[in-house]
Amino acid sequence: MATKRYYVTTAIPYVNGPPHVGHALEFVQTDALARYHRRTGEDTYFLTGSDDNSLKNVRAAEDEGIPVGDLVSRNTDSFVELDRVLDISYDQFIRTSVDERHRQGAQRLWRAVQESGDLYEQVYAGLYCLSCEQFYEPDELVDGLCPEHFIAPERVEETNYFFRLSRYQDQLEQLISSGQYRIIPDQRRNEVLSFIRSGLRDFSVSRSQERARGWGIPVPGDETQVMYVWFDALSNYITALGYATDGELYRRYWVENDCRVHVIGKGITRFHAVYWPAMLLSAGVPLPHVLFVHGYYTVEGRRIGKSMGNAIDPVALARRYGSEALRYFCLGATPSTGDTDFSMDSFESRYNADLANDLGNLLNRTVSMIGRYRDGVVPEAPHPDRDHAMLVEQARALPELIAGCMEEYDFPAALAQIWRVVGEANRYVERQAPWRLARPAVGTDEIDTAAKLDSVLNTLTQVLRLVALELEPFLPRTSAAILAQLGCDSDSSDNVAGLRVSTPQPLFPRLEVGVAEQ
Ligand code: ZN
């Protein structure tokens, strides 16, 4: 049987400012998916990038008095830096303003849609939110303001190309309600279905060169227009693979692949659940299979964002607490979907409880005891009794349990499975009390006691090794650090006897509670 394939993408963020912690959430979630599928042996490709061609970038550059290209490059660098700091294992970072394959691919998609008869010219007058890059109907506004940004939209009137979205209403409804295009969570799927059922209106897919200041991808055959940034941005998911020339990556990961997955934030659901599949249907290109929609971080109930003035710098967080602490918070302490209030109190308390205490202590005492009682060499387990065997069985059951959680895109549930085993292992240490076995009372059978101690240390090593292997998609550095302290790596065998452990080093130094200044 052919190897399964898995293609996963992040949204490409507007790079009109540096990233905030909400971007970290999306990158880390997508990275966990990519690493997880890679680890299970699937042929995986992970795409991320930057959405350069936005009018927002034009305005931001004008405000700073610098060329748009300079602003976009500078801000893109800060996204690449965040990816580096968080060990985001992407295969490609596409920049929509400089990648020639993107320009050609977006234009090919335009022509394909045009040949289907789905583009027409029309004078358009409407209310436009520059931050959303989206027209709004008056009844969609909240007190006259954009519902996402709480700013007044601008009145815009010009001749644009329109896309016949209305033609795809029934097809989209069928694809989404049948689950052929699976939208996670259900709440988002239901919102999309009710939006589709309320009647789809054709939408504008170009802008005048003048309003775009010449920034963006030209409409093929019409020099007065550039593509609407969403038309160009959405196409990145296929242009990056070489759609323009029917390239090898495009065939391998888009056309001949049973799992094409987009990870996005809830604010851009409509573009990915309605506009994008309609464009693909029109162009005769296969659709994505899964749209996973995460929520937002809020601060005291308010959405985080540059325009809100409450952005949290994820690179600063990672420098201060470690990148794995931030990855853990995003994956283990944040519901996969829905909004989560980001507070430093909860960040620090989860760090101390889960990372420093539960996992950190388990490794530390295991490695310390092997050093102290057995000169740093993991002993054989001569008498593995029921208590040992049950714990190892629980650790061995992890891959299947985690697979179920990952099928549902439920990251905290996957990590909760791992931490359940960590908790069991800590209770096992308390029950077995190896420090007492190391100093048998006078009159006990010393050989028997030594064999018991051997079994406890061997069991703990086995369990920590299995935990480390399962942690890799979520906390790759922690996984590697645990294996290194146990004296093995991800390729070593199940038999841990004979491994030489290192001197113990704390994985997550405990924080003094209340050190947060933010
Ligand atoms: Zn808006």
Side-chain angles (χ1 to χ4, degrees):
M1 215 182 84
T3 309
K4 269 185 74 180
R5 290 177 182 160
Y6 189 79
Y7 178 53
V8 67
T9 66
T10 67
I12 50 173
Y14 294 136
V15 286
N16 64 330
H20 58 68
V21 73
H23 294 110
L25 172 67
E26 179 165 317
F27 300 163
V28 167
Q29 285 182 332
T30 313
D31 185 60
L33 289 169
R35 286 178 183 271
Y36 178 78
H37 286 270
R38 238 179 252 135
R39 210 175 87 72
T40 57
E42 293 175 29
D43 178 8
T44 301
Y45 198 90
F46 173 6
L47 176 72
T48 190
S50 61
D51 182 1
D52 298 351
N53 295 326
S54 155
L55 292 189
K56 268 207 273 195
N57 295 333
V58 175
R59 294 286 174 90
E62 279 177 359
D63 289 347
E64 290 194 35
I66 59 173
V68 196
D70 292 359
L71 174 112
V72 163
S73 291
R74 184 193 67 203
N75 288 332
T76 299
D77 288 347
S78 66
F79 279 84
V80 172
E81 171 66 2
L82 176 61
D83 285 332
R84 194 189 61 75
V85 166
L86 291 177
D87 298 302
I88 305 302
S89 62
Y90 59 80
D91 294 288
Q92 186 185 157
F93 190 107
I94 184 171
R95 292 194 49 196
T96 56
S97 66
V98 295
D99 193 314
E100 189 51 33
R101 289 169 317 153
H102 176 68
R103 169 181 298 253
Q104 288 169 4
Q107 291 183 333
R108 180 183 176 196
L109 188 67
W110 180 281
R111 281 191 222 97
V113 168
Q114 196 164 37
E115 280 159 23
S116 297
D118 285 331
L119 296 181
Y120 60 92
E121 274 185 284
Q122 185 178 298
V123 178
Y124 192 81
L127 296 166
Y128 194 77
C129 174
L130 191 71
S131 288
C132 291
E133 298 274 13
Q134 181 182 351
F135 281 106
Y136 278 101
E137 298 295 325
D139 63 3
E140 292 179 302
L141 301 177
V142 177
D143 298 329
L145 304 178
C146 163
E148 277 282 312
H149 297 95
F150 311 108
I151 50 176
E154 299 174 15
R155 181 154 287 280
V156 167
E157 181 173 333
E158 63 188 31
T159 300
N160 292 152
Y161 287 93
F162 274 69
F163 173 70
R164 279 185 218 283
L165 181 65
S166 52
R167 180 185 271 186
Y168 295 97
Q169 175 160 342
D170 294 344
Q171 233 179 321
L172 287 173
E173 184 184 349
Q174 199 276 328
L175 286 164
I176 292 168
S177 61
S178 70
Q180 270 178 277
Y181 187 19
R182 180 182 172 206
I183 299 176
I184 305 168
D186 286 350
Q187 184 199 353
R188 299 287 162 226
R189 190 198 59 204
N190 296 338
E191 284 167 9
V192 166
L193 284 171
S194 76
F195 174 71
I196 293 173
R197 286 167 186 153
S198 74
L200 294 180
R201 286 178 275 226
D202 297 349
F203 72 105
S204 156
V205 288
S206 72
R207 302 288 178 260
S208 72
Q209 280 278 11
E210 189 191 355
R211 197 154 66 86
R213 312 281 197 272
W215 182 250
I217 297 183
V219 164
D222 186 346
E223 287 177 2
T224 69
Q225 301 273 309
V226 296
M227 287 180 200
Y228 174 39
V229 64
W230 273 105
F231 191 98
D232 130 37
L234 288 165
S235 74
N236 94 90
Y237 302 128
I238 56 175
T239 65
L241 298 176
Y243 166 68
T245 56
D246 265 321
E248 192 262 332
L249 289 178
Y250 171 66
R251 282 204 309 282
R252 177 159 155 196
Y253 294 110
W254 193 270
V255 181
E256 295 157 17
N257 173 7
D258 294 330
C259 209
R260 306 182 278 265
V261 179
H262 297 313
V263 177
I264 62 162
K266 65 178 185 178
I268 55 176
T269 306
R270 196 177 290 178
F271 294 96
H272 287 79
V274 181
Y275 298 177
W276 173 231
M279 286 158 55
L280 294 172
L281 287 170
S282 172
V285 171
L287 265 49
H289 297 95
V290 177
L291 181 65
F292 169 71
V293 187
H294 63 76
Y296 289 150
Y297 279 128
T298 56
V299 171
E300 290 165 356
R302 303 254 303 163
R303 182 184 167 188
I304 293 178
K306 200 185 170 217
S307 52
M308 299 292 167
N310 60 356
I312 294 171
D313 176 4
V315 173
L317 270 182
R319 295 236 161 89
R320 179 163 179 174
Y321 297 93
S323 60
E324 298 278 282
L326 179 52
R327 285 184 69 109
Y328 181 75
F329 192 81
C330 289
L331 295 168
T334 304
S336 289
T337 62
D339 293 348
T340 306
D341 213 51
F342 192 97
S343 87
M344 288 316 300
D345 281 350
S346 94
F347 187 96
E348 293 194 340
S349 70
R350 291 300 295 266
Y351 175 104
N352 271 342
D354 303 352
L355 298 176
N357 286 1
D358 292 349
L359 180 63
N361 271 352
L362 179 65
L363 177 69
N364 203 268
R365 54 189 183 175
T366 300
V367 171
S368 300
M369 289 189 294
I370 294 167
R372 196 176 316 136
Y373 305 142
R374 293 296 180 263
D375 292 327
V377 178
V378 178
E380 299 277 353
H383 299 303
D385 67 12
R386 198 174 142 67
D387 201 20
H388 309 304
M390 269 173 49
L391 183 60
V392 173
E393 274 320 300
Q394 289 192 23
R396 287 210 180 114
L398 279 175
E400 203 182 324
L401 293 168
I402 291 171
C405 301
M406 294 303 274
E407 179 57 30
E408 297 305 315
Y409 292 74
D410 194 340
F411 308 104
L415 283 168
Q417 293 291 351
I418 298 176
W419 256 261
R420 187 179 47 77
V421 171
V422 169
E424 288 297 331
N426 276 317
R427 283 187 286 280
Y428 165 86
V429 175
E430 298 303 322
R431 257 195 325 271
Q432 296 284 341
W435 44 90
R436 277 205 292 276
L437 297 172
R439 287 181 200 78
V442 178
T444 50
D445 179 344
E446 284 193 25
I447 293 171
D448 187 48
T449 313
K452 271 189 188 153
L453 177 58
D454 283 349
S455 294
V456 171
L457 298 177
N458 182 290
T459 298
L460 288 172
T461 308
Q462 285 190 61
V463 168
L464 271 166
R465 176 180 159 273
L466 293 168
V467 160
L469 294 175
E470 295 311 310
L471 272 178
E472 192 279 336
F474 312 100
L475 304 179
R477 283 176 190 255
T478 304
S479 167
I482 294 172
L483 293 173
Q485 289 197 42
L486 297 177
C488 61
D489 60 36
S490 54
D491 296 328
S492 47
S493 80
D494 284 351
N495 181 11
V496 296
L499 292 179
R500 177 166 286 284
V501 302
S502 71
T503 47
Q505 280 146 13
L507 284 178
F508 296 98
R510 225 189 123 71
L511 301 168
E512 293 304 318
V513 176
V515 297
E517 285 151 17
Q518 279 107 328

